[in-house]
Amino acid sequence: MDTSVKRNKKASILSDDPLWYKDAIIYQVHIKSFFDANNDGIGDFPGLLAKLDYIAELGVDAIWLLPFYPSPRRDDGYDIADYRNVHPDYGTISDVKRFITEAHARGIRVITELVINHTSDQHPWFQRARHAKPGSNHRNYYVWSDTDKKYEETRIIFIDTEPSNWTHDPVAGQYYWHRFYSHQPDLNFDNPAVLKEVLSVMRFWLDMGIDGLRLDAVPYLVEREGTNNENLPETHDILKKIRGTCCSRKRTSGRKT
Ligand SMILES: [Ca+2]
Ligand SMILES: [Ca+2]
């Protein structure tokens, strides 16, 4: 098949098939370690863009990008400090847009990784929460307690570094919940404002043209006393809301009228 025909065929699949991911060949890329375009020792979006023809030649259907957001990178970028931007070492939003356009032109979709169970403790939401009044909406963006004795049936994931899923914050005067590192406070999905913020972040990236989101750490979204706090029905309810909102919007915006 001539390349232009193949591209046209793929382009039509890009706009029409909502189940494209079912049998897609997905190529996972960590921007920082793929290709360094400006020779500063760190991979970047211009580098990935420069190697896009090579990736296309491999015959992949989609590229899955690991977290590239601004982050203190104490957990390899999974500790996100700003959901709507790019770590300056990797490039700019313009670079991302150019990458998406060029990937689509080659019949390749783009999936980005998002972490919504927790943020970095450097995220402005957490800094605001620490200083907010106990019980207020802004404090309740995260999961707080006056004791470290709640949810005791929950396993500790990083047992080699974390003695507890609770850490005391002297600024807030309360303990905050974290399923991962203590510098990664869990967002509070019992606060409707948090889901609204998360959906807004997803729309930001979907509107930019990305084709899908890989959600990290989703079994841990909601906490309930007396459970192991993993894969709870309440967490599935949140995921259904996310899928209903984001996917219906994506299908609508992708449809030609
Ligand atoms: Ca670089
Ligand atoms: Ca959680």
Side-chain angles (χ1 to χ4, degrees), residues 2-200:
D2 136 337
T3 311
S4 62
V5 173
K6 195 176 171 193
R7 277 186 192 167
N8 287 339
K9 184 168 175 279
K10 282 204 168 185
S12 69
I13 293 169
L14 278 184
S15 51
D16 293 339
D17 182 6
L19 298 178
W20 63 269
Y21 54 88
K22 290 275 185 180
D23 60 356
I25 299 166
I26 300 171
Y27 190 87
Q28 187 191 57
V29 169
H30 210 354
I31 301 286
K32 72 169 190 183
S33 54
F34 193 73
F35 194 76
D36 177 12
N38 62 356
N39 216 19
D40 65 355
I42 304 167
D44 41 53
F45 272 99
L48 183 58
L49 190 58
K51 292 291 176 185
L52 204 46
D53 282 330
Y54 157 73
I55 296 174
E57 280 168 19
L58 299 176
V60 307
D61 301 302
I63 293 174
W64 163 17
L65 301 176
L66 299 191
F68 52 76
Y69 316 95
S71 162
R73 290 187 293 203
R74 295 177 70 191
D75 185 21
D76 202 22
Y78 284 78
D79 46 331
I80 299 172
D82 179 355
Y83 281 115
R84 288 183 170 82
N85 216 328
V86 182
H87 195 292
D89 283 346
Y90 306 148
T92 64
I93 287 284
S94 297
D95 292 330
V96 180
K97 288 179 179 169
R98 197 172 313 123
F99 170 72
I100 294 168
T101 302
E102 291 297 322
H104 286 172
R106 288 161 177 78
I108 300 172
R109 295 179 194 269
V110 179
I111 300 170
T112 52
E113 177 122 359
L114 197 60
V115 189
I116 62 171
N117 177 65
H118 49 264
T119 67
S120 162
D121 60 6
Q122 300 306 303
H123 196 292
W125 295 344
F126 186 70
Q127 293 305 318
R128 185 178 64 184
R130 308 171 74 190
H131 293 95
K133 217 171 124 199
S136 64
N137 177 47
H138 286 161
R139 172 68 71 100
N140 288 341
Y141 266 46
Y142 294 83
V143 180
W144 298 94
S145 169
D146 291 329
T147 80
D148 58 357
K149 302 297 176 201
K150 282 176 79 179
Y151 310 143
E152 289 196 300
E153 291 169 48
T154 311
R155 73 188 167 110
I156 295 167
I157 294 171
F158 295 147
I159 48 171
D160 49 344
T161 54
E162 299 299 330
S164 168
N165 286 317
W166 292 106
T167 291
H168 189 261
D169 179 31
V171 176
Q174 282 191 304
Y175 293 88
Y176 60 90
W177 180 249
H178 53 88
R179 285 310 303 275
F180 294 85
Y181 292 112
S182 55
H183 56 77
Q184 289 167 316
D186 271 40
L187 286 166
N188 176 16
F189 280 87
D190 283 333
N191 182 349
V194 167
L195 179 59
K196 210 173 151 195
E197 294 270 21
V198 164
L199 288 170
S200 168

